[in-house]
Amino acid sequence: MNPIAEPSFRESVDLMFKRAVSVMDLPPGLEEKIRVCNSTYTVRFGVRLRGQIHTFTGYRSVHSEHMEPVKGGIRYALGVNQDEVEALAALMTYKCALVEAPFGGSKGGLRIDPRQYEEHELERITRRFAYELVKRDLINPSQNVPAPDMGTGEREMAWIADQYRRMFTTDINAHACVTGKPIYAGGIEGRVEATGRGVQYALQEFFRHPEDLAVAGLSGQLEGKRIVVQGLGNVGYHAALFLSTEDGALITGIVERDGALVDDRGIDVQAVRSWIETHGGVAGYPHATYVAEGAAVLEKECDILIPAALEGVITLQNADRIRANLIIEAANGPITAGADDVLRNKGVVIIPDLYANAGGVTVSYFEWVKNLSQIRLGRMQRRQEEARHALLVQELERLDRYLGDAWSMTPSFKERYLKGADELELVRSGLDDTMRTAYQKMREVWHGRSNVPDLRVAGYIVAVERVAMSYRDKGL
Ligand code: GLU
């Protein structure tokens, strides 16, 4: 039995919320209204598989409808329960408010181990779950828009979108009922990488502020920084890949389900991912040291720790043994409320989940807008932009000829300057802008107001103030 009492995930999120509102000045009662989950729908449904009926339990929780649609992923995992979806739905409310995605917060889950089923079985289960939710407007382009989460991806979103379309054949906005779809089914470039990309942009922004780095006892650039990542799923993989291949950071530890890999010279993230795909785990990977006790590697000394798997992995049990200067919460809720206190007292800086992993929902927002506008991002502007650039390049070429040897254009300039932005570039630019702006807003509150001890409290304050404002507009 756990000798140290930890709050549940839901209670942990509530504690973090309460810590923030205790230094705010909200009208009486509003605090409670914002904190509580509006509704949680539980569905039990049967699907005939392998000659017998199997009963599945799923949830869709709506935390706050101060803006609609409400937004949040659908998780497939055996550990899914009401407490978890409600905590995750609450985090969605704060996350969307912080990054100015115009949504309320929601989350769904299905208690299932997807690895136990064949693809055609998963399709039937997903379609039936979607049917139950669509029927109750818990999937709807203007009311509730799911997305991928742990255990789900583009494939499941395509099934959900198609199920909705079958039920509402004349809805011109049917595509927008779910995000994270494959491109051919109305998805957007850059959605799969979005959460990991957002983690990278968040770190890049953090490293633009030497004063903030100093609080974490760090200095300099991302290049050469030692990073331990827990979980090489969609989020952890993309974050670690971009940080190592584009920013020059060293991935010195990778913690996975079946153990961990360490190498202080840096691990090839792409190679490990391929290894996991063929061997089912990290054990046996030949180019790094394998550690069977994976949890111990979370405690390995490093500059940056990226928990990118489940909630509740840094707890009162291990928090005081963590030896990272900076933790960026790529997962939702990886640090319990108690562990958060321990880490803050140790001087560890935490870039909190509601900001750090908001890249996913940010690009979901772009996808939803794309679906509603029925046009690919950049389709109208790209060639016009190129034509205008061509005018300038022609003038420069004239100058080049005129000046002879005295001056010439940098060889790659023409090609790079002439190229108009495609959808992926626009998505990345929008995401980068979002992550920078939200961080700057948080740090303004962190450094500019009294009684704001850390970025998490600052993030909650920014988010809750925005939610409170929209309640005020509603006359509450
Ligand atoms: N499941 C992701 C999250 O936790 C994405 C949600 C979305 O795109 O709506 O933020």
Side-chain angles (χ1 to χ4, degrees):
M1 223 184 78
N2 183 348
I4 311 174
E6 292 270 8
S8 73
F9 185 14
R10 173 79 241 230
E11 289 162 348
S12 201
V13 172
D14 278 358
L15 284 168
M16 290 168 178
F17 171 90
K18 284 179 181 158
R19 193 187 292 149
V21 296
S22 71
V23 297
M24 293 172 72
D25 192 19
L26 289 180
L30 185 56
E31 171 187 325
E32 167 88 351
K33 171 67 204 85
I34 295 175
R35 186 182 58 78
V36 297
C37 216
N38 288 4
S39 64
T40 302
Y41 171 72
T42 308
V43 59
R44 294 184 187 83
F45 58 91
V47 181
R48 181 176 285 279
L49 302 167
R50 306 174 196 177
Q52 79 181 74
I53 294 178
H54 295 251
T55 304
F56 296 92
T57 305
Y59 305 89
R60 186 79 182 158
S61 176
V62 175
H63 175 260
S64 176
E65 288 145 297
H66 67 287
M67 281 195 182
E68 284 186 312
V70 293
K71 191 92 190 71
I74 291 184
R75 174 173 290 197
Y76 282 5
L78 275 180
V80 162
N81 58 61
Q82 181 167 345
D83 184 278
E84 185 188 60
V85 284
E86 290 189 352
L88 292 166
L91 280 174
M92 286 309 303
T93 296
Y94 310 133
K95 199 184 297 189
C96 290
L98 181 59
V99 296
E100 297 176 282
F103 304 127
S106 182
K107 199 81 173 200
L110 186 64
R111 200 181 297 151
I112 183 181
D113 177 0
R115 284 165 304 182
Q116 302 303 318
Y117 296 90
E118 305 274 336
E119 178 162 316
H120 69 275
E121 295 174 326
L122 273 176
E123 177 173 354
R124 288 184 58 199
I125 298 164
T126 301
R127 284 184 181 277
R128 181 61 209 274
F129 185 31
Y131 170 81
E132 295 292 336
L133 298 181
V134 171
K135 218 165 63 172
R136 292 166 178 84
D137 285 333
L138 290 165
I139 296 178
N140 182 306
S142 53
Q143 276 173 279
N144 197 325
V145 182
D149 199 76
M150 252 176 57
T152 58
E154 290 189 329
R155 182 183 63 174
E156 287 73 16
M157 302 306 117
W159 290 330
I160 293 173
D162 185 64
Q163 185 63 34
Y164 180 89
R165 203 171 311 109
R166 286 184 191 190
M167 295 168 75
F168 294 96
T169 49
T170 55
D171 185 347
I172 195 166
N173 292 320
H175 271 79
C177 76
V178 65
T179 58
K181 302 176 292 291
I183 296 289
Y184 67 83
I188 196 167
E189 295 288 350
R191 175 62 185 87
V192 175
E193 66 167 44
T195 315
R197 186 61 82 184
V199 171
Q200 176 198 28
Y201 289 160
L203 279 174
Q204 287 177 349
E205 180 58 19
F206 185 80
F207 273 75
R208 284 189 195 103
H209 301 278
E211 320 85 87
D212 299 1
L213 276 176
V215 180
L218 294 169
S219 61
Q221 307 299 320
L222 268 166
E223 191 174 350
K225 293 288 180 294
R226 299 159 305 161
I227 298 182
V228 171
V229 58
Q230 185 213 23
L232 217 57
N234 183 43
V235 180
Y237 164 67
H238 283 107
L241 180 72
F242 299 146
L243 287 163
S244 56
T245 58
E246 296 175 12
D247 297 298
L250 298 174
I251 307 301
T252 53
I254 294 176
V255 186
E256 257 292 325
R257 246 183 280 258
D258 67 323
L261 298 173
V262 292
D263 187 343
D264 288 341
R265 293 164 306 174
I267 305 171
D268 180 339
V269 176
Q270 179 81 68
V272 175
R273 171 87 162 195
S274 311
W275 182 269
I276 296 174
E277 268 158 23
T278 37
H279 299 84
V282 290
Y285 177 74
H287 308 297
T289 309
Y290 174 70
V291 181
E293 180 51 53
V297 175
L298 267 185
E299 299 162 17
K300 180 177 160 62
E301 195 188 330
C302 63
D303 299 305
I304 305 167
L305 176 61
I306 311 184
L310 264 183
E311 61 266 16
V313 293
I314 301 176
T315 64
L316 287 170
Q317 311 257 8
N318 60 357
D320 61 345
R321 294 195 302 273
I322 297 290
R323 287 181 295 156
N325 295 58
L326 176 66
I327 304 179
I328 177 157
E329 294 183 313
N332 287 307
I335 300 177
T336 64
D340 194 63
D341 286 333
V342 174
L343 292 165
R344 188 177 336 96
N345 292 336
K346 272 168 61 119
V348 179
V349 169
I350 299 168
I351 303 183
D353 48 7
L354 70 157
Y355 166 68
N357 67 41
V361 75
T362 300
V363 177
S364 275
Y365 169 38
F366 303 154
E367 180 176 334
W368 181 73
V369 169
K370 174 186 180 181
N371 294 154
L372 294 181
S373 58
Q374 316 276 354
I375 189 165
R376 186 181 73 236
L377 265 63
R379 183 162 170 186
M380 304 297 277
Q381 308 90 325
R382 186 175 177 186
R383 304 301 166 191
Q384 198 264 353
E385 191 189 333
E386 289 181 359
R388 284 171 66 89
H389 286 178
L391 281 178
L392 182 68
V393 167
Q394 277 160 20
E395 287 306 299
L396 287 173
E397 278 173 337
R398 216 160 55 83
L399 194 63
D400 198 344
R401 282 193 299 274
Y402 176 71
L403 291 175
D405 288 343
W407 180 84
S408 64
M409 264 192 282
T410 313
S412 62
F413 170 80
K414 182 173 168 181
E415 190 196 328
R416 284 190 294 138
Y417 189 69
L418 277 182
K419 191 178 163 298
D422 60 15
E423 186 169 86
L424 182 59
E425 284 166 286
L426 291 171
V427 162
R428 286 179 180 162
S429 150
L431 176 58
D432 193 10
D433 181 61
T434 303
M435 298 310 288
R436 291 186 199 214
T437 311
Y439 184 78
Q440 286 159 18
K441 190 78 200 157
M442 279 198 309
R443 75 182 297 275
E444 221 176 271
V445 171
W446 181 24
H447 299 306
R449 295 195 202 174
S450 54
N451 299 326
V452 180
D454 57 24
L455 280 165
R456 191 188 313 276
V457 171
Y460 270 88
I461 290 175
V462 175
V464 173
E465 275 178 359
R466 289 184 179 152
V467 177
M469 228 130 63
S470 61
Y471 272 120
R472 227 164 280 158
D473 294 345
K474 286 183 175 0
L476 250 181

